[in-house]
């Protein structure tokens, strides 16, 4: 009996760490899958991820084997960071996935792009290492991790865990590696803010500024959603470029088309659409089955009056057993296609079928708008009321131009040879973003601070029902995104980022100058 008790004791002593380690290792694979999903590129053969007990190398990408190897000690080090463990793993694995994308830089057969490269290799490829840090951190953010807050502590823990002195001879110093990482994290935070601001610009109807912002981010990181968003912004802008006498329809891009042209556009609709199609096709090269991107591409073809390509793609999409929402969007596109070619009666039937299929507000808004467009009826855009409730965030009133210390970034205007300036001013849980161009300037102030409320006591946690009750005579504009939707009230200069179940997770106010 004592023998069995002794065996059970040994099992309890040694099995629990083993179970814990197994769970940690499963988490590594889960993080890796989320990063791949965030990049969205299904056209490539992803590297195999392997965990090995080596104790010598943190992790590395081997191009000749298409293999990413992470050391068990590295996983254990990440585990010591507690709640930030997955953020650390996401940054490290994202770093090595960048080396996978940098294949043109790593031509030497068998070369290992390692996180802890020796000094010679690090100095020779310092640019690539910086790029790997930046891309890895940004993609980790897209996958819903928070890497920039953990990177300095992670690097220090790695040097300590692998018994590397701060000034070890054969490796970059700890201070040097941390300085590079901190600089990269600042750049990543900047790109994240520009990307998120671009999503808000889309919801506001500022498509030119959104496109310029997406294009700026695209210089540093490349992934499917970014190409799709840029293509969508260009389509939205192309709709605003008049071409002769035509019926102006709303397209199922899940964005508002009613805000009139604000920015000067020096390109024709044809040129803008050619760029949009190129970006959408790039996104589809990464994931040929991306249904929303294909629907956006149909919109581009219809605007370009390329009906054969539009109809062929619609037929392909109809064969893929779409959801009710996707089918409703197809009916909207078929309605536009037939009406544009002169068959308004059939177009009307398709718009009515879209209404019957989907109860989603954005689908119904587009269908009703297009039904009225066929009849020649258009609603006037709501104007801002002088009695609109003022919204102040951290005491800032955007009706007055304030002099703040901004971080200035120049954006190339994708529609003209001129530049836009985007200015970022950071506050606790709040960002003030201002766009300046030759045509006009506007500011967007958005926050996640729970204590900040509108004059109607709306804020974080408010429901869509509460928002609509606060503005009973105003129609909100809806822009869907992957995690929910934006709800914008142009007449009150308020914008809310909502979860899929209709709660505010961030909100803001905007002003034009």
């Amino acid at each position: 009996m004592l023998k069995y008790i002794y065996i059970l004791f040994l099992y309890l002593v040694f099995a629990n760490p083993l179970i814990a380690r197994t769970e940690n290792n499963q988490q590594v694979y889960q993080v890796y899958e989320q990063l791949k999903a965030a990049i969205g590129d299904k056209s490539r053969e992803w590297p195999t991820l392997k965990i090995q007990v080596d104790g010598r190398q943190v992790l590395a990408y081997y191009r000749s084997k298409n293999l990413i190897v992470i050391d068990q000690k590295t996983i254990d080090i990440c585990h010591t960071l507690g709640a930030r463990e997955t953020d650390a793993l996401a940054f490290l694995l994202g770093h090595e996935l960048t080396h996978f994308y940098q294949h043109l830089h790593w031509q030497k057969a068998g070369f290992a792009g390692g996180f802890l490269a020796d000094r010679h290799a690090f100095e020779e490829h310092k640019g690539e290492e910086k790029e790997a840090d930046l891309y890895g951190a940004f993609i980790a953010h897209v996958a819903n991790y928070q890497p920039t807050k953990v990177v300095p502590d992670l690097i220090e823990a790695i040097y300590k865990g692998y018994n590397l002195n701060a000034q070890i001879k054969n490796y970059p110093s700890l201070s040097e590696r941390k300085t590079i990482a901190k600089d990269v994290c600042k750049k990543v935070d900047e790109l994240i803010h520009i990307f998120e601001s671009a999503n808000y610009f889309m919801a506001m109807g500022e498509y030119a500024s959104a496109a310029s912002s997406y294009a700026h981010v695209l210089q540093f990181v490349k992934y499917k959603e970014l190409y799709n968003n840029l293509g969508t912004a260009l389509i939205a802008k192309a709709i605003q470029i008049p071409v002769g006498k035509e019926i102006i329809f709303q397209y199922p891009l899940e964005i508002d088309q009613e805000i009139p042209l604000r920015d000067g556009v020096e390109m024709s609709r044809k040129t803008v659409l050619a760029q949009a199609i190129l970006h959408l096709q790039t996104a589809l090269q990464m994931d040929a089955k991306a249904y929303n991107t294909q629907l956006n591409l149909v919109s581009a073809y219809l605007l370009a009056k390329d009906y054969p390509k539009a109809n062929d793609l619609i037929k392909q999409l109809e064969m893929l057993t779409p959801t009710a929402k996707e089918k409703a969007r197809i009916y909207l596109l078929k309605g536009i296609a037939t009406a544009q070619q002169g068959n308004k009666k059939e177009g009307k039937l398709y718009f009515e079928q879209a209404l019957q299929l989907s109860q989603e507000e954005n689908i119904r808004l587009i269908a009703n708008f297009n039904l009225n467009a066929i009849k020649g009826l258009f609603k006037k855009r709501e104007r801002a009321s002088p009695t609109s409730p003022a919204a102040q965030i951290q005491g800032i009133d955007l009706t007055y131009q304030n002099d703040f210390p901004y971080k200035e970034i120049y954006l190339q205007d994708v529609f003209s040879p001129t530049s836009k300036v985007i200015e970022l001013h950071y506050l606790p849980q709040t960002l003030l973003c201002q766009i300046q161009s030759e045509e006009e300037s506007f500011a967007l102030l958005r926050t996640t601070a729970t204590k900040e409320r509108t004059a109607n006591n709306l804020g974080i946690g408010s429901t869509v029902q509460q928002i609509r009750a606060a503005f009973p005579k105003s129609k909100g504009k809806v822009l869907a995104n992957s995690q929910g939707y934006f709800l914008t009230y142009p007449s009150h200069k308020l914008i809310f980022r909502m979860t899929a179940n209709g709660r505010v997770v961030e909100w803001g106010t905007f002003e034009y100058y």
Side-chain angles (χ1 to χ4, degrees):
M1 183 68 179
L2 287 173
K3 176 182 177 182
Y4 291 116
I5 292 174
Y6 177 69
I7 292 172
L8 178 62
F9 172 76
L10 289 176
Y11 174 80
L12 292 172
V13 169
F14 293 105
N16 284 345
L18 185 61
I19 291 169
R21 175 168 282 187
T22 300
E23 288 175 351
N24 292 344
N25 290 356
Q26 287 174 346
Q27 200 168 45
V28 175
Y29 291 111
Q30 289 169 1
V31 170
Y32 186 58
E33 291 303 316
Q34 285 181 273
L35 290 172
K36 290 194 294 184
I39 296 170
D41 191 346
K42 297 181 181 179
S43 66
R44 300 170 185 253
E45 183 183 348
W46 291 99
T48 301
L49 177 62
K50 180 182 177 183
I51 298 171
Q52 68 179 25
V53 182
D54 185 281
R56 293 179 301 165
Q57 194 164 27
V58 179
L59 75 163
Y61 167 62
Y62 295 90
R63 186 186 170 210
S64 63
K65 301 176 183 178
N66 199 25
L67 178 71
I68 291 177
V69 173
I70 184 167
D71 191 18
Q72 182 65 58
K73 183 186 285 188
T74 302
I75 299 169
D76 295 341
I77 289 170
C78 291
H79 185 61
T80 65
L81 297 171
R84 300 181 296 171
E85 176 183 5
T86 53
D87 297 329
L89 287 169
F91 171 74
L92 292 172
L93 292 171
H95 178 103
E96 293 309 314
L97 276 174
T98 311
H99 288 321
F100 164 62
Y101 271 99
Q102 289 171 333
H103 59 90
L104 293 177
H105 298 293
W106 308 94
Q107 292 293 344
K108 193 186 296 182
F111 181 84
F115 184 82
L116 197 60
D118 62 51
R119 175 167 288 282
H120 174 73
F122 182 80
E123 291 296 333
E124 185 180 354
H125 298 285
K126 185 180 283 187
E128 286 89 343
E129 288 298 315
K130 274 188 172 183
E131 182 184 346
D133 278 354
L134 190 150
Y135 187 87
F138 192 93
I139 289 301
H141 167 78
V142 173
N144 292 319
Y145 297 103
Q146 295 182 311
T148 58
K149 295 180 176 159
V150 73
V151 168
D153 291 343
L154 170 63
I155 291 173
E156 191 159 341
I158 286 171
Y159 269 67
K160 182 179 179 181
Y162 281 84
N163 296 317
L164 298 174
N165 297 325
Q167 298 291 336
I168 193 164
K169 182 179 179 182
N170 296 324
Y171 290 90
S173 69
L174 174 59
S175 61
E176 182 181 5
R177 194 68 180 83
K178 284 178 72 174
T179 298
I180 290 172
K182 284 179 180 178
D183 290 343
V184 164
C185 286
K186 285 181 184 177
K187 186 65 179 179
V188 169
D189 282 336
E190 177 186 297
L191 292 175
I192 288 168
H193 289 311
I194 293 174
F195 175 76
E196 291 180 344
S197 295
N199 293 337
Y200 272 86
F201 298 160
M202 286 288 286
M204 292 165 59
E206 292 298 328
Y207 308 126
S209 292
S212 298
S213 300
Y214 289 136
H216 177 80
V217 177
L218 195 59
Q219 296 177 72
F220 301 92
V221 291
K222 294 170 173 57
Y223 63 104
K224 185 186 71 178
E225 184 182 351
L226 188 53
Y227 283 109
N228 179 72
N229 285 10
L230 178 52
T232 305
L234 291 170
I235 293 172
K237 196 63 184 176
I239 294 169
Q240 296 179 325
I241 303 173
V243 177
K245 292 182 179 180
E246 61 177 4
I247 298 176
I248 304 298
F249 289 110
Q250 280 197 6
Y251 286 72
L253 303 172
E254 299 183 320
I255 53 177
D256 169 40
Q257 313 296 346
E258 292 182 36
I259 298 177
L261 181 65
R262 289 198 180 98
D263 299 279
V265 176
E266 297 184 10
M267 285 192 271
S268 67
R269 179 187 283 185
K270 182 179 178 181
T271 303
V272 174
L273 286 173
Q275 289 189 10
I277 289 168
L278 180 63
H279 290 303
L280 293 171
Q281 287 175 337
T282 302
L284 288 172
Q285 286 171 9
M286 300 177 81
D287 182 3
K289 295 181 180 179
Y291 209 97
N292 285 340
T293 302
Q294 292 182 79
L295 287 169
N296 289 339
L297 187 56
V298 173
S299 295
Y301 287 147
L302 288 178
L303 272 168
K305 305 288 194 292
D306 192 340
Y307 299 115
K309 284 185 179 176
N311 290 332
D312 285 346
L313 188 49
I314 285 173
K315 287 176 184 176
Q316 292 175 37
L317 294 173
E318 285 182 311
M319 294 171 63
L320 298 175
T321 58
T323 64
K325 177 186 175 183
E326 290 165 347
K327 200 165 184 177
R329 290 179 69 187
I330 288 174
Y331 280 140
L332 291 173
L333 292 168
K334 291 175 82 168
I336 293 169
T338 53
Q340 280 185 175
Q341 294 177 86
N343 193 339
K344 295 181 182 178
K345 185 176 180 181
E346 188 177 351
K348 180 174 175 287
L349 289 174
Y350 281 125
F351 296 141
E352 288 171 347
Q353 284 178 300
L355 279 172
Q356 292 170 9
L357 264 175
S358 179
Q359 295 299 313
E360 292 211 12
E361 184 175 11
N362 60 308
I363 296 289
R364 300 186 71 80
L365 284 172
I366 293 169
N368 282 316
F369 181 94
N370 290 347
L371 284 168
N372 286 325
I374 285 178
K375 299 173 186 175
L377 303 173
F378 298 94
K379 290 183 179 179
K380 290 184 178 180
R381 186 173 66 93
E382 290 182 345
R383 297 281 179 184
S385 166
T387 58
S388 294
Q392 286 195 2
I393 300 175
Q394 296 200 28
I396 296 174
D397 186 346
L398 290 182
T399 56
Y400 302 98
Q401 292 201 39
N402 300 283
D403 186 17
F404 293 111
Y406 285 101
K407 165 72 175 177
E408 286 191 351
I409 302 115
Y410 285 85
L411 309 177
Q412 179 58 51
D413 190 332
V414 297
F415 296 101
S416 73
T418 62
S419 294
K420 295 175 184 282
V421 180
I422 186 168
E423 299 176 331
L424 304 175
H425 176 65
Y426 302 95
L427 297 158
Q429 295 180 281
T430 300
L431 181 75
L432 176 55
C433 172
Q434 188 163 278
I435 285 277
Q436 293 186 356
S437 66
E438 290 183 356
E439 290 75 29
E440 69 172 354
S441 299
F442 67 89
L444 167 67
L445 183 62
R446 56 189 174 90
T447 186
T448 56
T450 54
K451 67 178 182 179
E452 300 294 341
R453 315 296 288 182
T454 70
N456 310 63
N457 197 33
L458 299 171
I460 306 304
S462 295
T463 65
V464 65
Q465 292 83 5
Q466 289 172 324
I467 295 172
R468 295 204 184 284
F471 308 113
K473 296 182 180 180
S474 299
K475 274 196 172 182
K477 313 299 182 183
V478 178
L479 168 69
N481 60 43
S482 58
Q483 297 174 342
Y485 58 95
F486 288 96
L487 185 56
T488 309
Y489 285 87
S491 59
H492 298 283
K493 298 174 183 175
L494 287 171
I495 185 166
F496 302 91
R497 184 160 66 87
M498 314 294 293
T499 61
N501 63 357
R503 284 195 177 272
V504 178
V505 288
E506 187 175 54
W507 68 277
T509 181
F510 52 92
E511 184 63 72
Y512 291 91
Y513 303 112

